[in-house]
Amino acid sequence: PDPVVTVQCALLYTNSSGERVIRVHTYGCLTVQSPQEVVNHVDPQAVAVTLGHLMMETQRPPREAKLAEARNYLNQQCQKIVAAAQNSPNAESLMTIPLYVLGLLKSPALRASNDTPVDLRGYFWSRLGSLSVPLTVAFCYPRMFSLHDLDLATGEAGDEGRIVLPQTLNLTAQCMVGHGVFLIEDGHQMMMWLGRQVSPDFLFSVFQVQAIEQLDPNAAAELFAPANIGAATDPLAIKVQNIIGAVRSERIPFMRLEIVRQQLDQGETKFFQYLVEDRTLGLQMSHQEFLQRLGHRPAGAAAAGTPQRGY
């Protein structure tokens, strides 16, 4: 076997009984023969979360001046990662890290806009420091699903009894259509966007209305409250309720659902702020523009940095 490097630390403390106790922690991990092997096994999600925690440790509290320093810190670290990836073969996984960081820069915790009150920004800042890796990744790069084109298996229980979720989509308006219905969740809340050209059949099956102008977003959201999950009788409505219920079951705490209609509700702006691969209100820079600013030069026409799925 390869040599093992061992790190050990000891904590001396007094317990509740007044006894002086030493607690020893030992961690061992395998070593490799070259730095390239380390790069090949980098976990982009874990690295992005670690960068976020390091940023928070050096930039507390979240005052506006500190926020500017925090953004600069993340940009500088991403530049180093991109430079390392450019000089290392088979380092495509590293190029996913800037995408998660871009999502963090566009999040309510860090985005440079006036739409987030100070107390709400402080809440997200505090929450970000205590989330697990999967929840932090969801906060930086939410999941988006389409609900208007569900196949037979999606929204139904699979072989293991779990609800089959739709395939996740990239967070860009290029994945959306005017007749579509899309669900986004970031571990904190969910938003459903309905296009102006959505099918009347979908509206009637799921919301019991004939036209999108007749839809009351607040009343429609109540159809997916926990007390109403399972009350639907239409097969399509059951599928949509199953999907929303399954997504909620994966997250703690409970996620509120907000429904917005294209060109009819003010909350639509909030929905599009989740599309971190596009230009958004807090940062007028797309994913590709962000990579170029960091110094990334893709080989050929291949696009870099596709997010890992399954969080």
Side-chain angles (χ1 to χ4, degrees), residues 47-59 73-74 77:
V47 172
V49 172
T50 301
L51 285 177
H53 287 174
L54 291 174
M55 172 271 297
M56 295 182 66
E57 290 178 4
T58 58
Q59 308 301 335
Y73 172 83
L74 291 175
Q77 298 305 312

Side-chain angles (χ1 to χ4, degrees), residues 54-75:
L54 291 174
M55 172 271 297
M56 295 182 66
E57 290 178 4
T58 58
Q59 308 301 335
R60 290 180 182 272
R63 297 189 300 269
E64 188 58 40
K66 289 290 186 180
L67 288 174
E69 295 176 9
R71 299 183 197 109
N72 290 334
Y73 172 83
L74 291 175
N75 278 302

Side-chain angles (χ1 to χ4, degrees), residues 138-218:
F139 182 76
C140 298
Y141 196 89
R143 290 188 298 182
M144 181 166 72
F145 309 101
S146 63
L147 301 178
H148 61 282
D149 53 358
L150 303 177
D151 58 30
L152 292 176
T154 304
E156 303 286 349
D159 295 336
E160 299 179 357
R162 300 178 60 181
I163 298 299
V164 178
L165 297 179
Q167 183 178 2
T168 52
L169 304 173
N170 282 13
L171 295 179
T172 171
Q174 296 179 2
C175 292
M176 301 176 64
V177 291
H179 63 274
V181 179
F182 297 89
L183 180 72
I184 276 185
E185 68 89 13
D186 67 348
H188 174 70
Q189 81 166 103
M190 294 187 291
M191 293 192 72
M192 183 188 296
W193 180 90
L194 287 85
R196 288 293 296 270
Q197 303 171 21
V198 63
S199 166
D201 293 337
F202 183 96
L203 291 174
F204 187 78
S205 296
V206 179
F207 301 109
Q208 292 82 54
V209 296
Q210 297 285 354
I212 193 170
E213 291 80 8
Q214 300 173 357
L215 181 71
D216 180 348
N218 293 326

Side-chain angles (χ1 to χ4, degrees), residues 75 98 102 105 285-294:
N75 278 302
L102 178 62
L105 291 172
M285 191 178 302
S286 69
H287 176 216
Q288 291 302 320
E289 290 169 339
F290 183 62
L291 289 177
Q292 292 173 6
R293 180 180 176 181
L294 296 176

